[in-house]
Amino acid sequence: MNYIVLDLEWNQCPAGKARENPALPFEIVEIGAVRLDENRGWMDFFSERIRPQVYRKFHYRTKEIIHMDMEELQSARTFPGVVRDFLTWCGTDCEFCSWGPLDLMELQRNMKFYQIENPFPFPLLYYDVQKLFSLLYEDGKSRRSLEDAVNFLEIKKAMPFHRAIDDTYYTAEIIRRLDWEKVKRYRSVDYYRLPSEREDEIHLQFGRYAKYVSRVFSGREEALRDKEVTSARCYECGARMKRLLPWFGVSSRQYLSLNQCPVHGLVKGKLRVKKTVDDRVFIVKTLKRIGEEEAGIIRTQQENVKKRRGEAQPGQASANAKEAGEAEKKRKKEIDSNTVIQEKKDTAGP
């Protein structure tokens, strides 16, 4: 088994989001990858630029970041030929690593645009090295830039950042310095392809916590009515847990709960409502064993939510979401009315 450390550079519509091709918001212009053996030793690398077919001018931000001219890409091959060679180079016995969660998603989106068969397993698990760095050296939630992590680990900066092959070199060097035994169980789930049926839903356990990825729902209300989404069984023993604090919303996209397993004690529940590319939703639920201190923080969060806007439980999501939507419409209508009134005042004269 090998590790494929991947980094991509991409461009976006130079005329802005309003004129982008919705099937390809980001067009890959460079693939860089390093292969490490199972002991994270250096093996070989893949590097190739790509001639764009959709966005033939660079967005000004892209040009600032990657320091590349469009003229450099005119002699390059197009994406289909490059990506097929890349996938052949990767082989089948490998695990992907990247700095952050976006590279594999955009690789698959570009493949779909060019009607190239997706060869990756489902679910696609990979190592988000940015997250692993945070788990080892920080709080597990913060996310440093690649250059910040290189500085922290005192890795020699022998080449510039924001070119695909150079960034893979730095990411690989970080991987080689991590305490791999401590973090190798913490794979991430790629969300480009999602479960379509209940039997395809993803259940994973990572020792410190468990993760569930739901199938796709038409909207948040439907998702939060689903019993599997809101259920809470201990991920270690399977026992039904006592609900100390029912699910409550800390935002429109995040809910918390506090539970107690008769064997394993306090367990924090977290639901995150995520959007798909076609404006539907899916749920990522995590369950994690915690101590009294963190349980106290959750209780305080619930009290604060109650004081601000009342308790928002998934069981009440339909009514709450409807009320929130009506309130937002009313607010926008008032703003529009005030704008019209102000405009009339400005033009009416003294």
Side-chain angles (χ1 to χ4, degrees):
M1 191 278 297
N2 303 147
Y3 297 106
I4 302 296
V5 187
L6 172 68
D7 187 81
L8 307 173
E9 302 298 342
W10 53 68
N11 187 26
Q12 61 196 83
C13 180
K17 188 173 179 63
R19 296 180 62 183
E20 74 179 14
N21 185 326
L24 194 71
F26 302 108
E27 183 176 18
I28 296 171
V29 296
E30 186 178 21
I31 297 177
V34 169
R35 190 198 311 275
L36 303 178
D37 64 25
E38 60 185 5
N39 297 314
R40 292 171 292 146
W42 293 99
M43 293 185 69
D44 59 345
F45 67 92
F46 181 99
S47 177
E48 190 162 348
R49 298 174 186 177
I50 295 168
R51 186 171 77 251
Q53 303 296 293
V54 178
Y55 307 127
R56 298 174 186 267
K57 293 183 179 180
F58 275 130
H59 188 279
Y60 76 96
R61 284 291 295 144
T62 304
K63 193 168 184 178
E64 287 176 2
I65 292 170
I66 67 175
H67 308 294
M68 185 185 295
D69 292 318
M70 192 58 71
E71 290 74 20
E72 298 177 48
L73 304 178
Q74 296 312 304
S75 60
R77 295 192 293 163
T78 56
F79 180 81
V82 175
V83 78
R84 288 190 179 99
D85 284 353
F86 170 67
L87 294 172
T88 300
W89 176 84
C90 291
T92 56
D93 189 15
C94 65
E95 295 197 56
F96 286 95
C97 312
S98 63
W99 189 261
L102 299 179
D103 292 275
L104 281 169
M105 178 174 290
E106 295 309 325
L107 180 66
Q108 293 173 93
R109 197 198 308 267
N110 276 248
M111 289 167 59
K112 182 177 181 180
F113 181 82
Y114 286 103
Q115 300 180 345
I116 296 169
E117 183 180 358
N118 192 325
F120 302 129
F122 179 83
L124 175 56
L125 306 182
Y126 69 100
Y127 287 109
D128 179 347
V129 185
Q130 188 181 43
K131 180 179 79 173
L132 301 185
F133 177 89
S134 183
L135 287 170
L136 270 182
Y137 299 111
E138 298 180 316
D139 59 3
K141 299 177 182 179
S142 58
R143 296 291 185 264
R144 285 198 185 216
S145 71
L146 180 60
E147 186 169 5
D148 282 346
V150 166
N151 291 335
F152 180 89
L153 295 175
E154 298 181 344
I155 296 170
K156 183 179 179 181
K157 291 191 277 189
M159 54 195 73
F161 290 86
H162 301 302
R163 291 300 292 263
I165 191 60
D166 299 337
D167 286 357
T168 58
Y169 164 79
Y170 288 122
T171 305
E173 282 292 347
I174 291 172
I175 291 172
R176 285 159 54 81
R177 285 164 168 76
L178 297 179
D179 187 337
W180 201 242
E181 290 304 312
K182 287 185 178 180
V183 297
K184 68 179 183 180
R185 70 171 66 180
Y186 298 115
R187 292 176 175 86
S188 294
V189 182
D190 173 71
Y191 296 141
Y192 181 73
R193 291 179 297 168
L194 293 163
S196 57
E197 305 293 340
R198 184 180 294 279
E199 55 266 27
D200 298 326
E201 292 180 328
I202 302 167
H203 297 264
L204 300 169
Q205 187 171 337
F206 297 100
R208 287 169 55 180
Y209 66 95
K211 178 178 284 189
Y212 156 80
V213 182
S214 78
R215 66 192 184 279
V216 175
F217 296 94
S218 61
R220 183 181 61 174
E221 298 170 49
E222 180 190 6
L224 297 179
R225 287 196 300 266
D226 187 82
K227 290 183 178 179
E228 183 63 27
V229 166
T230 58
S231 68
R233 288 187 175 273
C234 178
Y235 58 91
E236 296 199 61
C237 66
R240 185 180 295 277
M241 295 189 289
K242 181 180 180 181
R243 193 67 58 82
L244 301 180
L245 293 178
W247 294 103
F248 64 95
V250 294
S251 72
S252 62
R253 294 190 178 185
Q254 183 171 303
Y255 296 81
L256 298 177
S257 70
L258 181 61
N259 313 276
Q260 186 161 32
C261 171
V263 178
H264 296 101
L266 295 169
V267 176
K268 172 185 176 179
K270 181 165 72 172
L271 299 179
R272 287 174 292 160
V273 182
K274 291 182 170 288
K275 276 198 169 187
T276 65
V277 294
D278 58 355
D279 281 332
R280 294 184 294 168
V281 304
F282 66 101
I283 303 295
V284 177
K285 176 172 67 178
T286 54
L287 297 173
K288 180 183 178 183
R289 288 175 62 182
I290 60 172
E292 284 292 347
E293 183 178 353
E294 191 167 354
I297 294 172
I298 296 172
R299 291 188 178 97
T300 300
Q301 286 179 289
Q302 189 203 44
E303 288 302 317
N304 291 337
V305 167
K306 284 182 177 180
K307 290 176 183 177
R308 290 199 313 268
R309 54 185 171 83
E311 194 172 7
Q313 299 177 18
Q316 301 168 341
S318 180
N320 291 342
K322 184 177 180 180
E323 290 175 7
E326 290 174 352
E328 180 66 13
K329 287 180 182 177
K330 184 178 179 181
R331 185 183 70 84
K332 289 181 178 179
K333 187 175 181 181
E334 289 174 352
I335 291 173
D336 292 342
S337 298
N338 290 338
T339 302
V340 171
I341 290 170
Q342 184 62 47
E343 288 175 349
K344 287 181 178 177
K345 287 181 178 177
D346 291 342
T347 57

